[in-house]
């Protein structure tokens, strides 16, 4: 009995430790005062109103959304082809690619951002949506490729053989068997990619300008000038939005599938 | 689904398959007749699946030819070969329900929806699956999945039915039941069938003919009874059923009388084996099945009597397997009805065994 109690105490402690920063930010966002301070000394929703109406945030959110949708979709297309290549074909360098897919990334985000800043200047693309999207594709690609890679590996090759045996041409096998079976992986990869893109900061800082800034960059710029809790309110809204997206995904696709715990 | 008389023949001609450094199948030649139920039997890794995969087109042979109705199909891609394969893991499509699984092949053939529905229903009926159309395949038991996999393969009316250990994932009772159903299905459809198994009982009870394979090579192709009573070599003799392998014996021939000297103290009388011309002094291997050895009376001292000590009794309900240590031969297994032997020949006691060679298998050493 006490073992179970101990187990739950430990689990609660870990959960608390992991969520404490978010809890502090959310609590601060309700602070009626003009100063970012913790703990709050009252309750007010005024900073939420400010967050939702402040033009910089509105613009940045729109830009961020466009960037996230386009870059994660591009990453999905590229990552899926990449995963297919690695799983289905034998070619020189295959092991290297497979290694990249299955190990954590080694290039820091700010390096990627800095690189694209220099490249953008050279190509005359600086601070355009194009260069931001290019940057984000690089950042989220591994996550999409990895999600699809895992779901492809999990497909029993006999499913495809069986379909061919029953008369399905290679195209039919792909469209009726393979793709439907990796859809959860693709959806999961795409979702993780868009959330990452939406909240990415360090690389975006290099490649955006005030006209094209994404939400995290706008928040950073805001906090450099003002000290009121609006940024905390934006953070809380982002957390809620992310949670809603994940809950919807869970409802329609099943979180097990999204997280590739159970591939088919 | 009555496709009687629509069987197709399959000829496998000198087929070899070499992977990077293993030869999985070596110069295999088989002629499978129209409507025949042919079983590939052999230990794990002997190349059964590889051979089946080459017939289905999933693997390309390194050399040799495969013909259906006399036409070489080596260049025909898998999806145009019209073979119906049932995989060991069934490979039912997890994202489709039972109906869609069975209808898959018909849809690929672009049959009208009404016809597809009728065909699928007929297949469901035949496999005793009616009413399961809408079920997800994951919710079904092993036996049901097995039937669906079979229904999915036969509904396209394949030229050959290829079954890769389809019963090995089922528990014993279900396996016996499915054996019966498989046999009935074969009789009803008349489909030429290649069945893979490493279970010799299954092979003997289901097949018209059995191919015994070992290390990628064919050891023997025979009807079940012949396989059991006249194995072509030592491998087949010991692989099919249980058998005692006696030490190498010297054949002493005088006229029509044969004696086999197993060791200086033991000589057994025998006769000319069916397919082997023996010469005087020739060395032979003698194999004898446990059910052909008997416990002789205590004072028995005639021909083909050997003596030994009882080492173990293994009681198995219908029969008892008794292990006797015979000096000069080693451990000899015999099988007697019921449990009588356990009282008759207590552990450690000396008993006499009668070892007639009438039904023994005698092969050149
Ligand atoms: N794709 C492959 N690459 C390399 N070697 C292979 C391949 N497929 C099979 N082999 C080898 O070929 C031999 C025959 O394999 P196969 O699967 O045909 O045996 P099997 O008789 O079906 O065995 P089991 O009863 O275990 O299914 C084995 O040694 C196996 O390791
Ligand atoms: Mg096999």
């Amino acid at each position: 009995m006490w073992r179970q109690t101990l187990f739950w105490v430990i689990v609660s402690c870990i959960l608390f430790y992991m969520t404490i920063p978010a809890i502090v930010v959310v609590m601060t966002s309700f602070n009626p005062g003009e100063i970012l301070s913790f703990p709050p000394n009252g309750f007010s929703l005024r900073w939420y109103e400010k967050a939702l109406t402040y033009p910089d945030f509105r613009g940045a959110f729109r830009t961020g959304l466009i960037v996230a949708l386009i870059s994660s979709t591009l990453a999905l297309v590229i990552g899926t082809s990449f995963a297919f290549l690695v799983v289905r074909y034998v070619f020189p360098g295959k092991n290297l690619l497979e290694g990249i897919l299955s190990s954590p990334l080694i290039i820091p985000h700010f390096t990627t951002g800095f690189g694209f800043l220099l490249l953008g200047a050279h190509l005359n693309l600086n601070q355009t949506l194009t260069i931001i999207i290019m940057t984000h594709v690089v950042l989220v690609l591994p996550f999409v490729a990895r999600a699809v890679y895992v779901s492809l590996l999990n497909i029993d090759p006999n499913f495809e053989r069986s379909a061919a045996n029953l008369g399905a041409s290679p195209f039919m096998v792909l469209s009726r068997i393979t793709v439907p079976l990796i859809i959860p992986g693709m959806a999961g990869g795409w979702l993780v990619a868009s959330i990452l893109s939406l909240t990415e900061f360090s690389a975006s800082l290099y490649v955006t300008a005030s006209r094209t800034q994404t939400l995290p960059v706008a928040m950073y710029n805001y906090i450099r000038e003002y000290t009121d809790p609006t940024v905390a309110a934006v953070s809380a809204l982002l957390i809620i939005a992310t949670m809603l997206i994940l809950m919807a995904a869970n409802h329609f696709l099943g979180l097990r599938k999204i997280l590739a715990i159970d591939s088919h | 689904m009555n496709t009687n008389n629509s069987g197709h023949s399959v000829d496998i001609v000198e087929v070899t398959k070499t992977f990077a450094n293993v030869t999985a199948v070596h110069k295999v030649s088989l002629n499978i007749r129209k409507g025949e139920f042919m079983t590939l039997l052999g230990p794990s890794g002997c190349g059964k699946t590889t051979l089946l995969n080459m017939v289905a087109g999933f693997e390309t042979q390194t050399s040799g030819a495969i013909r259906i109705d006399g036409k070489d199909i080596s260049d025909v891609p898998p999806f145009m070969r019209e073979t119906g394969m049932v995989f060991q893991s069934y490979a039912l499509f997890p994202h489709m329900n039972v109906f869609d699984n069975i209808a898959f092949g018909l849809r690929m053939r672009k049959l009208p929806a009404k016809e597809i529905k009728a065909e699928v229903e007929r297949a469901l009926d035949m496999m005793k699956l009616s009413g399961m159309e809408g079920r997800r395949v994951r919710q079904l038991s092993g036996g049901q999945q097995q039937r669906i996999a079979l229904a999915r393969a036969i509904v396209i009316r394949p030229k050959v039915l290829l079954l890769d250990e389809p019963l090995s994932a089922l528990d014993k009772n279900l396996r016996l039941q499915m054996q019966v159903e498989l046999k009935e299905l074969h009789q009803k459809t008349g489909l030429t069938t290649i069945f893979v198994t490493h279970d010799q009982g299954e092979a003997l009870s289901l097949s018209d003919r059995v191919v015994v394979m070992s290390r990628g090579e064919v050891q023997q192709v025979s009807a079940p009874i012949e396989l059991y009573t006249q194995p072509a070599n030592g491998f087949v003799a010991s692989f099919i059923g249980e058998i005692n392998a006696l030490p190498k014996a010297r054949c002493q021939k005088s006229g029509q009388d044969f004696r086999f000297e197993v060791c200086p103290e033991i000589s057994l009388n025998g006769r000319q084996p069916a397919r082997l011309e023996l010469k005087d002094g020739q060395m032979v291997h003698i194999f004898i099945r446990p059910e052909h050895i008997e416990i002789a009376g205590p004072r028995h001292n005639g021909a083909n009597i050997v003596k030994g000590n009882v080492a173990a009794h293994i009681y198995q309900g219908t029969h008892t397997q008794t292990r006797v240590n015979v000096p000069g031969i080693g451990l000899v297994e015999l099988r007697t009805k019921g449990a009588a032997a356990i009282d008759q020949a207590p552990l450690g006691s000396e008993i006499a065994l009668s070892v007639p060679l009438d039904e023994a298998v005698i092969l050149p050493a």
Side-chain angles (χ1 to χ4, degrees):
Chain A
M1 187 61 211
W2 67 270
R3 273 169 164 242
Q4 252 195 2
T5 319
L6 186 68
F7 172 78
W8 285 113
V9 168
I10 292 175
V11 168
S12 315
C13 287
I14 294 171
L15 277 178
F16 181 70
Y17 175 64
M18 284 172 64
T19 47
I20 184 87
I23 293 170
V24 169
V25 169
V26 171
M27 284 172 73
T28 309
S29 70
F30 296 120
N31 205 339
E34 296 263 348
I35 296 290
L36 269 168
S37 72
F38 183 82
N41 46 22
F43 180 85
S44 149
L45 290 176
R46 61 185 280 214
W47 306 114
Y48 282 86
E49 198 194 329
K50 174 103 188 269
L52 290 169
T53 51
Y54 190 65
D56 270 16
F57 287 157
R58 294 176 70 113
F61 181 68
R62 202 177 321 109
T63 310
L65 209 56
I66 293 169
V67 169
L69 292 182
I70 297 178
S71 56
S72 48
T73 306
L74 281 176
L76 183 67
V77 174
I78 301 168
T80 303
S81 330
F82 193 58
F84 257 97
L85 205 68
V86 172
V87 175
R88 293 301 161 82
Y89 298 94
V90 181
F91 53 91
K94 177 186 158 101
N95 286 345
L96 182 72
L97 278 186
E98 208 156 7
I100 292 174
L101 273 185
S102 37
S103 63
L105 298 170
I106 37 175
I107 303 173
H109 279 199
F110 68 82
T111 310
T112 305
F114 191 40
F116 272 108
L117 174 71
L118 298 173
L119 195 67
H122 179 69
L123 295 174
N124 242 336
L125 281 174
N126 252 359
Q127 294 153 356
T128 60
L129 274 185
T130 314
I131 202 80
I132 305 172
I133 289 170
M134 281 167 72
T135 311
H136 279 215
V137 167
V138 169
L139 296 177
V140 301
L141 183 60
F143 295 92
V144 189
R146 179 153 175 72
V148 180
Y149 169 76
V150 170
S151 0
L152 268 179
L153 278 188
N154 277 328
I155 296 184
D156 180 348
N158 283 345
F159 291 151
E160 289 164 327
R161 285 181 160 188
S162 184
N165 180 255
L166 292 166
S169 62
F171 174 76
M172 279 312 217
V173 174
L174 191 70
S175 64
R176 294 295 172 86
I177 306 295
T178 318
V179 171
L181 287 176
I182 59 169
I183 282 275
M186 290 170 72
W190 185 88
L191 212 62
V192 169
S194 12
I195 291 172
L196 283 175
S197 163
L198 212 55
T199 54
E200 205 289 326
F201 170 65
S202 40
S204 308
L205 186 62
Y206 286 91
V207 291
T208 54
S210 63
R211 200 170 28 82
T212 55
Q213 65 189 355
T214 54
L215 198 51
V217 179
M219 287 161 75
Y220 170 73
N221 287 334
Y222 187 90
I223 215 170
R224 284 204 307 179
E225 283 183 46
Y226 310 100
T227 52
D228 64 49
T230 313
V231 169
V234 178
S235 296
L237 288 172
L238 263 181
I239 292 172
I240 292 168
T242 314
M243 261 167 45
L244 286 179
I245 294 173
L246 284 179
M247 273 160 68
N250 185 28
H251 182 75
F252 291 112
L253 290 155
L255 204 57
R256 298 175 66 81
K257 289 181 176 179
I258 293 290
L259 299 177
I261 297 169
D262 179 51
S263 63
H264 25 259
Chain B
M1 190 113 9
N2 208 326
T3 46
N4 268 323
N5 307 322
S6 64
H8 301 260
S9 66
V10 180
D11 296 307
I12 295 168
V13 189
E14 296 258 312
V15 164
T16 294
K17 174 72 189 180
T18 310
F19 294 108
N21 45 18
V22 260
T23 300
V25 171
H26 185 65
K27 291 210 170 162
V28 167
S29 290
L30 295 170
N31 302 304
I32 302 151
R33 304 172 193 132
K34 291 178 183 188
E36 187 171 28
F37 195 114
M38 178 75 108
T39 296
L40 305 181
L41 175 67
S44 187
C46 73
K48 307 180 296 286
T49 299
T50 306
L51 192 58
L52 215 58
N53 282 344
M54 287 189 283
V55 177
F58 303 141
E59 304 278 6
T60 312
Q61 66 267 28
T62 312
S63 66
I66 298 172
R67 303 192 187 117
I68 293 183
D69 291 335
K71 264 195 295 234
D72 194 331
I73 54 164
S74 305
D75 293 331
V76 180
F79 73 98
M80 287 166 69
R81 284 209 184 180
E82 299 183 73
T83 60
M85 179 114 166
V86 174
F87 294 84
Q88 183 172 352
S89 58
Y90 310 142
L92 296 178
F93 306 134
H95 56 300
M96 297 181 193
N97 64 19
V98 172
F99 184 95
D100 292 336
N101 261 279
I102 301 177
F104 189 85
L106 301 172
R107 291 199 171 125
M108 292 302 118
R109 284 165 176 70
K110 301 208 166 64
L111 257 62
K114 245 173 89 183
E115 218 168 299
I116 292 178
K117 189 150 186 289
E119 289 281 342
V120 172
E121 267 161 18
R122 211 144 20 130
L124 282 166
D125 191 46
M126 194 167 192
M127 297 314 303
K128 306 188 179 81
L129 287 165
S130 299
M132 299 225 173
E133 294 87 329
R135 301 274 285 275
R136 310 274 319 176
V137 293
R138 294 219 140 195
Q139 306 165 340
L140 302 173
S141 70
Q144 290 166 333
Q145 294 191 16
Q146 152 81 89
R147 288 202 184 88
I148 294 163
L150 263 172
R152 187 175 69 174
I154 57 170
V155 81
I156 60 169
R157 301 180 193 212
K159 290 181 173 166
V160 206
L161 190 59
L162 306 173
L163 309 171
D164 192 358
E165 308 207 25
L167 307 184
S168 65
L170 305 178
D171 63 46
K172 195 172 166 229
N173 288 333
L174 201 51
R175 197 157 66 219
L176 292 176
Q177 186 191 333
M178 280 309 297
Q179 281 182 25
V180 175
E181 288 188 21
L182 212 52
K183 189 96 198 171
E184 283 174 6
L185 181 74
H186 178 247
Q187 273 154 7
K188 260 189 264 182
T189 58
L191 283 171
T192 307
T193 304
I194 308 180
F195 178 82
V196 165
T197 183
H198 56 242
D199 180 325
Q200 31 124 347
E202 220 165 83
L204 294 180
S205 65
L206 285 173
S207 328
D208 293 323
R209 282 192 298 162
V210 180
V211 181
V212 180
M213 291 178 66
S214 165
R215 300 189 183 174
E217 296 188 51
V218 171
Q219 302 295 319
Q220 184 170 1
V221 185
S222 291
I225 296 173
E226 192 187 333
L227 200 65
Y228 191 76
T229 57
Q230 295 172 35
N233 57 39
F235 176 83
V236 179
S238 11
F239 191 72
I240 309 289
E242 288 171 65
I243 206 157
N244 292 294
L246 305 188
K248 245 191 245 176
R250 181 181 303 280
C251 170
Q252 294 160 340
K253 181 179 175 184
S254 60
Q256 285 308 303
D257 293 334
F258 288 85
R259 279 181 75 71
F260 298 96
E261 188 189 272
V262 180
C263 61
E265 310 83 55
I266 300 176
S267 283
L268 301 171
N269 291 335
R271 54 182 173 77
Q272 174 71 43
R275 290 184 295 190
L276 180 64
E277 194 63 44
L278 286 179
K279 288 189 275 298
D280 190 44
Q282 187 178 348
M283 297 304 287
V284 294
H285 280 305
I286 301 175
F287 298 89
I288 181 159
R289 301 215 179 264
E291 63 265 31
H292 296 141
I293 301 179
E294 285 165 6
I295 298 176
R299 285 176 307 276
H300 211 114
N301 230 334
N304 288 20
I305 297 292
V306 301
K307 294 206 168 99
N309 293 305
V310 178
H313 287 296
I314 301 154
Y315 176 62
Q316 302 195 307
T318 58
H319 65 268
T320 300
Q321 191 91 2
T322 302
R323 209 166 279 165
V324 179
N325 198 354
V326 178
I329 294 184
L331 279 182
V332 170
E333 300 238 357
L334 63 139
R335 178 176 291 192
T336 46
K337 262 193 200 144
I342 300 176
D343 292 331
Q344 196 186 339
L347 275 185
S349 66
E350 178 170 272
I351 59 164
L353 301 177
S354 161
V355 187
L357 294 189
D358 305 342
E359 298 188 75
V361 175
I362 296 173
L363 299 167

